[in-house]
Amino acid sequence: MRSLLSYLVLAFVSVVAAISTTGDRLLVILDDVADKANYSKFLGDLETRGFKIAFETPKSESLSLFHLGEKAYDHVIFFPTKIKGLGPNLTPNILLQFLNSKGNILLTLSSETTAPTAIVSLLDQLEIQLPADRTGLVVDHFNYDSANAAEKHDVLLLPTPKSIRPDVKNYFGAGAAKDEVLAFPRGVGAALGPGELLSPILRAPSTAYIYNPKEQGEVVDDLFGAGEQLALVSTFQSRNSARFTLVGSAEMLQDAWFDAKVKTVDGKAAKTFNRNFATQVSGWTFQEIGVLRVNWIEHHLNEAGASNESNPELYRINNDVTYSISLSEYSWAGWSAFKVPAKDELQLEFSMLSPFHRLPLALDTAKSSPEASAYTVSFRIPDQHGIFNFKVNYKRPFLTNIEEKNTVSVRHMAHDEWPRSFVISGAWPWIAGIAATVTGWLGFCALWMYSAPVGKKAGIKKTQ
């Protein structure tokens, strides 16, 4: 029943014209254009989702990712090639420029071919390392397909991907049945650096390792990697939200492994999840899922009797304000309200050089709709004048980045905005002293002015 449900989900996804948010121009680079027959189902699913696919070889003279300074394609797929160099039109700098221009790249490798030097240089820039000989074969003697790799153990059977963190949505294993596994045939493993922009989708089991089949008869002194050190499928999302995905086995995207019948080590029959996985990985890479959009931002005074104008440029210290932001998430066919995971928070920073406030934004159901969700928070501006920023910086794995900043000025209190002294209880003794002094002075003046002068006594005239 679960398997039927997964097929229905896949059929629904294929029927819906899922258009990428960044464009539909897709370039596929192969060693030979005729090799596309091996990936007919994968490429057919992409065409069904609305992509306009162009096929080129690295040797093609007309191949160019840019035209008149603009991107000629929105997405690129690299299938394995036996060519050591990809030529002047696919240098590492051009590929990085393509990513910096918000282009998306899906790169596949194979243990049967050596990765071109341009690809290795690009991966180094992204903190992804391949073995020194630019190839390798991942094997596992405890998790392999006993029907197709009974001797070499080079077809790994892996569980479907799970969420990497409790606060991160699972975009790559949704809809998988219990009896479905991922077949990873004759693939290459990579080592990921500590970069915060890298996220693994699929890691090797603890019993797997990588070696060079050409050195099978020799003793391997230094192992490149083993177990979870090896990333079989990994992603990189740049700060401009351009996406790069490395798939260590191009063969897992071929027709032969889509919905194939495999057997585990203990002889149990299983179905492959490869077709659904390929749809989800390509959909994420080409920004058909996991895309966030800011619909509107509003901040205003939250005080009785104030005008409460939307998005003013000037506030006063100790003002009560309200900040709201509306977010939507794109998933396959359209936009829907984005819901922050239960163990995560969407936060607002009110900062000058450093945050004065860092507050969680709460869902505002009154301003939300099925297409957009609004998050809001109210707070008091600190007792500090200057230039401040309302800043929302939300960066999570597998979601496009949100970094919104609205700058406002905060002024000090005007001379007629301070509370009157008679309202402040601490000033009452001083006010009483002033009143006593004024009253005493006025009494003295009245007594002086209205008191009769003392009369003079009649004096005796002196005679000589």
Side-chain angles (χ1 to χ4, degrees):
M1 186 65 184
R2 291 288 301 275
S3 177
L4 177 61
L5 179 61
S6 64
Y7 284 123
L8 293 176
V9 171
L10 178 62
F12 174 76
V13 170
S14 301
V15 170
V16 177
I19 301 175
S20 168
T21 55
T22 57
D24 58 0
R25 299 172 299 175
L26 173 60
L27 173 65
V28 177
I29 299 177
L30 310 98
D31 223 2
D32 188 350
V33 177
D35 293 340
K36 67 180 183 180
N38 297 326
Y39 308 92
S40 60
K41 292 182 179 179
F42 174 62
L43 298 175
D45 291 342
L46 290 172
E47 289 180 340
T48 303
R49 285 167 17 215
F51 288 98
K52 300 175 181 177
I53 304 178
F55 298 93
E56 295 285 354
T57 64
K59 297 180 180 180
S60 176
E61 297 180 357
S62 61
L63 175 61
S64 178
L65 299 183
F66 294 91
H67 178 67
L68 300 177
E70 298 292 334
K71 289 184 303 179
Y73 302 95
D74 303 303
H75 322 282
V76 177
I77 297 179
F78 285 93
F79 286 112
T81 175
K82 298 179 181 178
I83 301 175
K84 294 184 178 180
L86 296 181
N89 294 325
L90 294 174
T91 62
N93 288 336
I94 292 178
L95 295 177
L96 283 176
Q97 183 183 355
F98 184 75
L99 286 173
N100 291 332
S101 301
K102 297 186 177 182
N104 306 303
I105 297 177
L106 176 61
L107 172 64
T108 64
L109 302 175
S110 174
S111 62
E112 298 177 353
T113 59
T114 302
T117 54
I119 295 300
V120 176
S121 298
L122 173 64
L123 294 178
D124 286 340
Q125 294 288 333
L126 305 181
E127 296 187 85
I128 302 175
Q129 294 183 351
L130 295 179
D133 44 14
R134 296 180 292 159
T135 187
L137 177 65
V138 178
V139 297
D140 190 339
H141 304 301
F142 298 90
N143 300 282
Y144 62 90
D145 180 13
S146 59
N148 300 287
E151 297 182 359
K152 295 184 177 180
H153 303 174
D154 54 0
V155 179
L156 276 62
L157 296 184
L158 308 172
T160 55
K162 307 298 181 182
S163 178
I164 61 174
R165 284 190 344 219
D167 61 338
V168 175
K169 184 179 177 180
N170 184 11
Y171 288 95
F172 307 102
K178 293 182 179 180
D179 61 338
E180 289 183 318
V181 295
L182 270 178
F184 188 84
R186 290 169 279 278
V188 181
L192 303 184
E196 60 183 8
L197 304 179
L198 290 167
S199 298
I201 296 178
L202 192 65
R203 287 192 180 273
S206 58
T207 52
Y209 64 93
I210 186 172
Y211 78 104
N212 189 344
K214 297 180 181 179
E215 302 175 354
Q216 188 170 2
E218 303 176 7
V219 177
V220 180
D221 296 329
D222 188 12
L223 196 64
F224 173 75
E228 294 188 354
Q229 295 176 337
L230 299 174
L232 306 181
V233 181
S234 53
T235 65
F236 174 92
Q237 181 170 264
S238 62
R239 290 181 174 84
N240 66 356
S241 295
R243 292 173 171 177
F244 175 92
T245 300
L246 174 64
V247 178
S249 171
E251 193 175 343
M252 71 182 303
L253 304 180
Q254 293 182 359
D255 298 350
W257 294 100
F258 277 17
D259 308 322
K261 305 290 185 179
V262 295
K263 284 186 178 181
T264 60
V265 177
D266 54 5
K268 292 182 179 180
K271 297 179 180 178
T272 60
F273 189 69
N274 287 36
R275 186 167 192 171
N276 300 65
F277 182 73
T279 298
Q280 294 165 359
V281 167
S282 61
W284 181 87
T285 306
F286 302 148
Q287 301 203 19
E288 297 174 90
I289 55 176
V291 180
L292 299 183
R293 180 184 69 183
V294 177
N295 301 309
W296 51 262
I297 292 175
E298 182 186 16
H299 53 86
H300 60 83
L301 283 172
N302 186 19
E303 296 181 350
S307 62
N308 294 341
E309 174 190 358
S310 294
N311 302 330
E313 298 180 354
L314 183 64
Y315 287 101
R316 192 204 67 206
I317 60 173
N318 296 325
N319 271 152
D320 292 325
V321 300
T322 296
Y323 179 92
S324 301
I325 184 171
S326 175
L327 300 176
S328 296
E329 180 181 2
Y330 190 82
S331 179
W332 298 116
W335 296 95
S336 60
F338 172 66
K339 295 182 179 179
V340 178
K343 296 186 178 181
D344 194 12
E345 278 189 351
L346 178 67
Q347 295 181 336
L348 168 70
E349 290 183 0
F350 190 71
S351 61
M352 189 185 289
L353 296 177
S354 59
F356 279 68
H357 289 297
R358 184 178 285 120
L359 305 169
L361 289 155
L363 181 64
D364 188 348
T365 55
K367 296 181 180 179
S368 300
S369 66
E371 294 78 24
S373 55
Y375 294 87
T376 185
V377 66
S378 297
F379 64 97
R380 176 163 292 183
I381 291 178
D383 191 5
Q384 172 68 48
H385 66 275
I387 307 300
F388 283 81
N389 297 308
F390 293 98
K391 186 175 181 180
V392 174
N393 187 9
Y394 189 76
K395 297 176 180 177
R396 299 294 186 271
F398 311 128
L399 289 173
T400 54
N401 300 324
I402 293 180
E403 189 170 359
E404 294 291 332
K405 185 172 68 173
N406 300 87
T407 303
V408 296
S409 299
V410 177
R411 63 175 177 84
H412 53 69
M413 299 280 286
H415 70 281
D416 58 348
E417 291 180 326
W418 294 98
R420 298 303 181 183
S421 57
F422 55 80
V423 179
I424 305 174
S425 60
W428 291 350
W430 304 97
I431 295 174
I434 293 172
T437 302
V438 172
T439 302
W441 171 252
L442 292 177
F444 172 76
C445 290
L447 183 63
W448 176 265
M449 293 177 63
Y450 294 100
S451 296
V454 179
K456 292 182 179 181
K457 293 181 180 181
I460 301 173
K461 188 177 182 181
K462 290 183 179 182
T463 60
Q464 293 182 352

